[in-house]
Amino acid sequence: MKKLSIFILTLATAILMASCDGKKDESIKNEISQKATEVKTDIKDAAEDIKEKAVKAKDVTVEKADELKDKTKSLIEDTKNDLKEKTEDIKNSATDKISDVKESANKQALSNKINSSSTTENKN
């Protein structure tokens, strides 16, 4: 930034000196000083604009990061709830199947006892 200012001042000085051939030294110095002040003001304004844009960009970035964080939390919570539901469904399904298998086994055992009793009675 400082090099740019020096370059601009040097350039302005050269231009002014070339355009002020017949003027007095004091007049030339005043014009150079005025132009230098204008350049400094322009540089300060540009720096302020850049700072403002940087602050706005930072604010937007923080806002978007917060939105993404909230969406991620929501997605995690939804996934947890879905997993709980599916786990409960699997648990209930397994319990039902176990009950069905037990019932079927009990029926089979009862049927075997009945068949065994019938076979024993037939032999006697």
Side-chain angles (χ1 to χ4, degrees):
M1 190 71 134
K2 197 171 190 177
K3 288 181 181 182
L4 180 62
S5 297
I6 293 170
F7 173 75
I8 292 172
L9 286 174
T10 304
L11 182 62
T13 303
I15 292 170
L16 286 174
M17 288 178 83
S19 67
C20 299
D21 280 338
K23 296 185 180 178
K24 293 182 178 179
D25 286 343
E26 193 61 37
S27 176
I28 293 171
K29 286 181 184 178
N30 287 339
E31 279 189 54
I32 291 173
S33 177
Q34 182 183 355
K35 290 293 181 182
T37 303
E38 289 175 11
V39 168
K40 285 181 184 178
T41 302
D42 290 346
I43 290 172
K44 285 181 183 178
D45 290 346
E48 279 298 316
D49 288 345
I50 291 170
K51 284 180 185 177
E52 288 176 15
K53 288 178 182 177
V55 168
K56 286 179 183 177
K58 180 191 140 231
D59 291 344
V60 167
T61 302
V62 168
E63 184 180 314
K64 290 192 181 220
D66 288 343
E67 289 175 8
L68 183 58
K69 181 179 168 184
D70 291 342
K71 286 179 182 178
T72 303
K73 281 183 181 180
S74 176
L75 183 60
I76 289 170
E77 194 61 35
D78 291 347
T79 304
K80 283 168 91 176
N81 290 337
D82 287 347
L83 285 174
K84 284 180 183 178
E85 287 179 23
K86 288 180 181 180
T87 302
E88 191 64 31
D89 290 345
I90 291 170
K91 179 182 168 186
N92 290 339
S93 176
T95 302
D96 292 344
K97 286 182 181 182
I98 290 171
S99 295
D100 291 346
V101 169
K102 281 184 180 179
E103 188 178 317
S104 178
N106 286 338
K107 285 181 181 178
Q108 185 65 37
L110 183 59
S111 176
N112 287 344
K113 279 186 179 181
I114 292 173
N115 287 340
S116 175
S117 296
S118 294
T119 306
T120 307
E121 287 178 11
N122 287 341
K123 288 185 179 179
N124 288 336

